[in-house]
Amino acid sequence: MPESSDLYKQAKAVLDMNDRGAYTQPAHGLYPHQWLWDSCFIAIGLRHLDTERAKLELTSLLRGQWHNGMLPNIVFRPDPQYRTDRNMWRSWLNPSAPNDLATTGITQPPMLAEAVVQVGAKLSRTERRSWYRLMYPSLVSYHEWLYRERDPHNEGLVLQVHPWETGLDNTPPWMAELHEHQLAWWIRLIEKFRLEWVIDLFRRDTRSVPADERFSAVESAAMFTIQLRLRRKAYDIDKILDHSMFAIEDLAFNSIFIRANARLREIAKSLDKQLPEELLQQMKKTDKAFEDLWDPYSSQYYSRDFITHKLLKTPSIATLLPLYAGSIAKERAGQLVKMLENKHLFGSAYPVPSVPTSSFWFHPKRYWQGPSWVNTNWLVIDGLRRYGFIEHAEALSESTLEMVTRSGCYEYFDPLTGEPAGAGNFSWTAALAIDLLKTDKIK
Ligand code: GLC
């Protein structure tokens, strides 16, 4: 029985330790607020322990929903000690922001519909109906917002305006673009004269985690300047896109969006509701437009620059996420599975590295530039199962659990040695370990 395993007990203890009443913080110290996709992954684990708490985790996210439908990537705690965090964003500058609490002005991958269905699977038929009924309007308005504001040319793909929106913060395709277009003159000077230590004086993340496991100082300063620009534009998308060189149709985000659309259609169907016709048409377009991200020369998908329409040909963990999207042809899914098996790409001893191990960008402990993360493993496992690669799915689930059993519920892991890195007692690692332990071998 999984309940008696040490890992299960340990993971449950992490979720209890990080319980903040209305939601679960990702980790003590470094991440005290409520994060969007974290809460979705956390609810997927919590549903095995306490369905009421899992539901609360998700309804709490709706506190932060903007009047225009946007779900922000962070809902800030109201305590006086977090005033600086709230002030960094000043969500109140935008008239659509909630009146009674502070959030960021950007979103994160749309995992909510998936989490709603996963929690629903643990409820009785009647409970599930009322659960779906409760969440449905917010989900519809979130997806409508994504199309309205993030697909301005009606292309079918949605764009992101900050690397934080992908959840894969310093992922190479974005960092390469950032180095090219987004380094302010003062950051270039700092880089040239090797004055990175000046930036480090202002950083808080490196107080909790060793500096070589996080962003570089230059990347961190650049992220901050992009954020300041968004704030200056009061998070108004038209103003943001005007004269901007930095908007990307991110592969990971759009893969997750495709699955979220399918999940939303399931929810509507089980409620006997008809989704708005326009939304249905847009969803269809997305499945088709996604294929434009395929590069026949290297046989893989990439993110695309929204402005130039050029594919950003730097592989990363996003490369494998079309498996999770579920809309791609089985033959293409098979090509991605080959990359997963290849030792020089994603087939490391403790998969799945967030960057191919042979990549110029690869660093085994640097955040989204090498380490294995349990949430992206979960997405790949789920996709493999649905495409019928059952043995691959089981093998990945086992190696993920082995890594967490050996090293603990850390934020990420060295894909070569399985050693832990980043924050300890990390909530989504705990929650998804529980889900992997509990999930039937064959769905
Ligand atoms: C980091 C991760 C992001 C996550 C957040 C809170 O910023 O890159 O994906 O949501 O931490 O855990």
Side-chain angles (χ1 to χ4, degrees):
M1 282 307 282
E3 286 86 344
S4 58
S5 78
D6 285 348
L7 174 59
Y8 187 89
K9 288 185 203 147
Q10 217 189 86
K12 189 172 173 310
V14 168
L15 293 174
D16 287 342
M17 184 189 315
N18 288 334
D19 186 359
R20 300 225 45 93
Y23 71 95
T24 311
Q25 64 187 6
H28 177 75
L30 196 54
Y31 308 115
H33 309 290
Q34 182 172 27
W35 264 261
L36 176 54
W37 80 333
D38 293 66
S39 279
C40 296
F41 291 122
I42 291 165
I44 290 171
L46 280 178
R47 72 195 174 123
H48 301 289
L49 306 174
D50 177 349
T51 49
E52 284 311 309
R53 190 174 153 198
K55 287 201 275 183
L56 181 62
E57 187 77 36
L58 300 180
T59 52
S60 291
L61 284 172
L62 306 185
R63 297 173 304 158
Q65 186 161 34
W66 286 28
H67 307 308
N68 59 6
M70 186 189 76
L71 283 169
N73 75 327
I74 305 176
V75 176
F76 291 113
R77 274 169 68 171
D79 319 41
Q81 77 202 86
Y82 299 113
R83 183 168 297 130
T84 324
D85 295 0
R86 297 189 294 268
N87 264 329
M88 280 243 306
W89 284 93
R90 295 180 208 154
S91 51
W92 49 87
L93 293 173
N94 187 299
S96 292
N99 309 324
D100 51 348
L101 93 191
T103 72
T104 61
I106 57 172
T107 191
Q108 238 183 358
M111 282 298 301
L112 185 58
E114 170 79 276
V116 167
V117 173
Q118 296 277 355
V119 172
K122 287 282 163 187
L123 306 175
S124 72
R125 230 180 111 88
T126 3
E127 282 172 341
R128 180 159 58 242
R129 256 186 101 78
S130 50
W131 167 237
Y132 281 179
R133 213 175 293 124
L134 176 71
M135 299 302 285
Y136 182 75
S138 305
L139 280 170
V140 172
S141 72
Y142 180 42
H143 285 228
E144 286 181 332
W145 172 82
L146 279 164
Y147 280 115
R148 194 172 58 245
E149 297 224 340
R150 298 314 187 83
D151 182 14
H153 299 162
N154 206 6
E155 294 174 316
L157 297 173
V158 290
L159 63 91
Q160 288 67 56
V161 293
H162 195 294
W164 287 331
E165 292 202 300
T166 70
L168 316 175
D169 306 5
N170 63 342
T171 190
W174 280 78
M175 292 304 104
E177 285 295 285
L178 185 146
H179 281 277
E180 201 160 311
H181 299 298
Q182 288 295 318
L183 291 192
W185 61 268
W186 59 273
I187 304 181
R188 289 199 192 274
L189 278 185
I190 285 182
E191 201 176 24
K192 188 164 172 204
F193 294 107
R194 309 209 128 267
L195 294 171
E196 282 89 349
W197 60 270
V198 179
I199 299 173
D200 287 334
L201 293 179
F202 295 94
R203 287 180 74 174
R204 277 188 300 163
D205 58 341
T206 43
R207 287 179 212 164
S208 318
V209 172
D212 69 344
E213 296 181 12
R214 306 288 296 181
F215 296 92
S216 71
V218 163
E219 285 166 0
S220 155
M223 304 284 249
F224 181 60
T225 57
I226 306 168
Q227 190 218 320
L228 284 187
R229 179 174 178 273
L230 301 181
R231 189 176 84 189
R232 267 200 316 278
K233 310 278 175 190
Y235 312 109
D236 178 317
I237 195 67
D238 295 329
K239 293 187 186 142
I240 290 171
L241 292 178
D242 196 28
H243 290 106
S244 168
M245 287 301 285
F246 204 51
I248 291 173
E249 292 156 332
D250 182 73
L251 178 58
F253 196 108
N254 280 280
S255 298
I256 291 172
F257 189 37
I258 286 186
R259 181 69 179 144
N261 280 338
R263 287 308 211 182
L264 181 53
R265 288 194 298 266
E266 275 174 44
I267 295 172
K269 192 164 171 221
S270 70
L271 286 175
D272 297 316
K273 281 190 190 287
Q274 190 65 29
L275 280 166
E277 191 47 39
E278 194 186 347
L279 186 57
L280 283 171
Q281 291 309 325
Q282 285 163 322
M283 288 178 174
K284 269 198 196 139
K285 200 168 195 170
T286 301
D287 292 358
K288 266 180 98 184
F290 191 78
E291 294 308 318
D292 297 340
L293 303 181
W294 176 258
D295 172 48
Y297 307 104
S298 55
S299 298
Q300 56 185 297
Y301 293 88
Y302 294 108
S303 295
R304 189 170 75 177
D305 187 309
F306 169 71
I307 294 135
T308 62
H309 263 202
K310 275 211 185 107
L311 294 180
L312 307 176
K313 295 192 184 176
T314 310
S316 71
I317 187 62
T319 308
L320 299 178
L321 296 186
L323 286 167
Y324 175 73
S327 60
I328 63 170
K330 173 114 196 211
E331 189 240 322
R332 286 193 177 172
Q335 279 170 292
L336 300 184
V337 171
K338 285 214 178 84
M339 296 181 77
L340 179 63
E341 288 170 332
N342 185 330
K343 285 201 166 47
H344 303 294
L345 299 173
F346 295 103
S348 56
Y350 292 88
V352 183
S354 40
V355 165
T357 50
S358 56
S359 161
F360 150 83
W361 290 90
F362 180 75
H363 182 301
K365 290 221 171 72
R366 187 172 291 146
Y367 217 34
W368 292 99
Q369 295 182 357
S372 296
W373 288 73
V374 173
N375 67 328
T376 42
N377 280 14
W378 187 93
L379 295 171
V380 173
I381 292 166
D382 188 75
L384 287 169
R385 279 207 182 104
R386 280 184 284 115
Y387 274 103
F389 296 102
I390 306 297
E391 279 171 24
H392 289 81
E394 296 321 328
L396 182 54
S397 175
E398 265 168 42
S399 62
T400 306
L401 288 170
E402 191 193 317
M403 185 167 79
V404 185
T405 306
R406 262 192 48 185
S407 297
C409 293
Y410 271 79
E411 192 179 3
Y412 41 93
F413 302 85
D414 181 324
L416 306 178
T417 62
E419 282 165 23
N425 296 320
F426 191 69
S427 294
W428 82 40
T429 302
L432 295 176
I434 291 176
D435 190 60
L436 292 178
L437 280 169
K438 283 284 210 170
T439 303
D440 294 337
K441 284 274 175 199
I442 293 180
K443 271 193 173 164

